[in-house]
């Protein structure tokens, strides 16, 4: 498990396959397979990635458990919607407060971590703001969360169904949510190429770096070949 931000984490739950899976998937059309990864196999992996022969990379998968702010989860969700044309077996299962009342947590930026508006509005944010503005921003966020949680606790105490009581939870993008994400090696690389980029939002970039470290550990040759 790798901790991310103040309360979040990325945990590798399971994997299927290896770099060798990519090689053997590519060579099955010639009825050939190998039991160990050779230099020529590494060259094949790089050739496949360079020339967009991506189907062999979909025979290896990774499954993660992620705990992250809602704003990160909704950005991540795009890789489920957008992957159907190339990876129909991508899966996403998120915890539901309709059924459970697990501890409610929120992502609270540090007082020195509030960022300014960018000069170029096409980018997400600029430099960090001064500490005085940061302190005030954190204070206001905490007050907003406290008010909403009081209403939520009142609803639960007065017997309102959990599926409705959750309406009182501050629907801030900082609400921490948990989900399982299972995708092919191609899907992982597509996510990493976009979300480890310097232009990606800082918070999701931090999660992408955690995913990247797991991917490199399990599929060092294939991930290196797929990353732009």
């Amino acid at each position: 498990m790798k901790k991310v931000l103040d309360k979040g984490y990325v945990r590798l739950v399971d994997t299927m396959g290896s770099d060798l899976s990519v090689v053997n998937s590519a060579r099955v059309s010639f009825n050939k397979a190998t039991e160990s990864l050779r230099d020529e196999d590494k060259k094949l992996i790089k050739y496949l990635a360079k020339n967009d022969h991506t189907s062999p990379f979909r025979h290896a998968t990774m499954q993660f458990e992620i705990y992250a702010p809602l704003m990160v989860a909704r950005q991540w969700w795009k890789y489920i919607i957008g992957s159907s044309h190339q990876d129909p077996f991508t899966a996403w299962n998120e915890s539901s407060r309709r059924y459970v009342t697990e501890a409610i947590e929120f992502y609270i930026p540090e007082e020195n971590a509030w960022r300014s508006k960018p000069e170029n509005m096409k980018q997400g944010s600029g430099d960090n703001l001064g500490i005085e503005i940061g302190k005030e921003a954190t204070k206001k966020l905490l007050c907003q969360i406290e008010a909403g949680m009081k209403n939520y606790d009142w609803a639960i105490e007065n017997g309102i169904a959990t599926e409705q009581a959750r309406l009182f939870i501050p629907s801030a993008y900082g609400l921490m949510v948990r989900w399982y994400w299972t995708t092919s090696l191609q899907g992982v690389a597509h996510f990493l190429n976009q979300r480890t980029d310097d232009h990606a939002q800082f918070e999701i970039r931090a999660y992408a770096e955690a995913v990247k470290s797991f991917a490199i550990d399990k599929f060092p040759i294939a991930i290196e070949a797929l990353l732009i």
Side-chain angles (χ1 to χ4, degrees), residues 16-52:
M16 183 185 77
S18 64
D19 286 328
L20 190 59
S21 303
V22 177
V23 172
N24 287 335
S25 298
R27 287 194 170 132
V28 70
S29 58
F30 296 98
N31 195 25
K32 292 183 178 180
T34 182
E35 295 183 358
S36 60
L37 199 66
R38 303 161 297 180
D39 287 341
E40 61 191 89
D41 300 322
K42 297 176 183 179
K43 291 179 181 178
L44 175 60
I45 291 174
K46 294 176 182 178
Y47 173 85
L48 294 170
K50 181 179 179 180
N51 292 278
D52 292 327

Side-chain angles (χ1 to χ4, degrees), residues 124-159:
S125 57
D127 296 332
N128 284 11
L129 292 165
I131 192 66
E132 291 303 317
I133 292 294
K135 286 182 178 179
E136 188 67 17
T138 297
K139 178 180 177 181
K140 287 180 179 295
L141 179 57
L142 289 171
C143 287
Q144 180 173 314
I145 290 171
E146 181 182 4
M149 289 307 300
K150 282 183 179 179
N151 291 333
Y152 172 77
D153 291 339
W154 171 88
I156 294 295
E157 291 168 3
N158 283 275

Side-chain angles (χ1 to χ4, degrees), residues 112-127:
N112 62 353
W114 290 90
R115 303 187 293 274
S116 63
K117 292 188 295 184
E119 293 182 8
N120 181 349
M121 292 305 294
K122 292 182 180 181
Q123 303 301 323
S125 57
D127 296 332

Side-chain angles (χ1 to χ4, degrees), residues 13 18 24 63 69 71-72 97 116 138 165 188 202 209:
V13 177
S18 64
N24 287 335
Q63 182 184 57
M71 63 181 178
V72 170
R97 293 193 180 277
S116 63
T138 297
V188 171
F202 166 79
E209 290 294 342

Side-chain angles (χ1 to χ4, degrees), residues 101-202:
T101 55
E102 65 176 330
I104 298 172
E105 295 186 302
F106 298 88
Y107 166 52
I108 310 294
E110 296 289 337
E111 294 176 346
N112 62 353
W114 290 90
R115 303 187 293 274
S116 63
K117 292 188 295 184
E119 293 182 8
N120 181 349
M121 292 305 294
K122 292 182 180 181
Q123 303 301 323
S125 57
D127 296 332
N128 284 11
L129 292 165
I131 192 66
E132 291 303 317
I133 292 294
K135 286 182 178 179
E136 188 67 17
T138 297
K139 178 180 177 181
K140 287 180 179 295
L141 179 57
L142 289 171
C143 287
Q144 180 173 314
I145 290 171
E146 181 182 4
M149 289 307 300
K150 282 183 179 179
N151 291 333
Y152 172 77
D153 291 339
W154 171 88
I156 294 295
E157 291 168 3
N158 283 275
I160 294 177
T162 304
E163 64 183 24
Q164 288 185 309
R166 61 182 173 167
L167 292 170
F168 290 104
I169 297 174
S171 297
Y173 279 96
L175 176 66
M176 299 296 291
V177 295
R178 191 185 327 273
W179 71 94
Y180 266 42
W181 178 49
T182 302
T183 187
S184 72
L185 209 53
Q186 182 188 3
V188 171
H190 178 55
F191 171 76
L192 293 179
N193 277 324
Q194 293 195 349
R195 296 304 173 177
T196 58
D197 186 88
D198 289 342
H199 295 128
Q201 183 173 331
F202 166 79

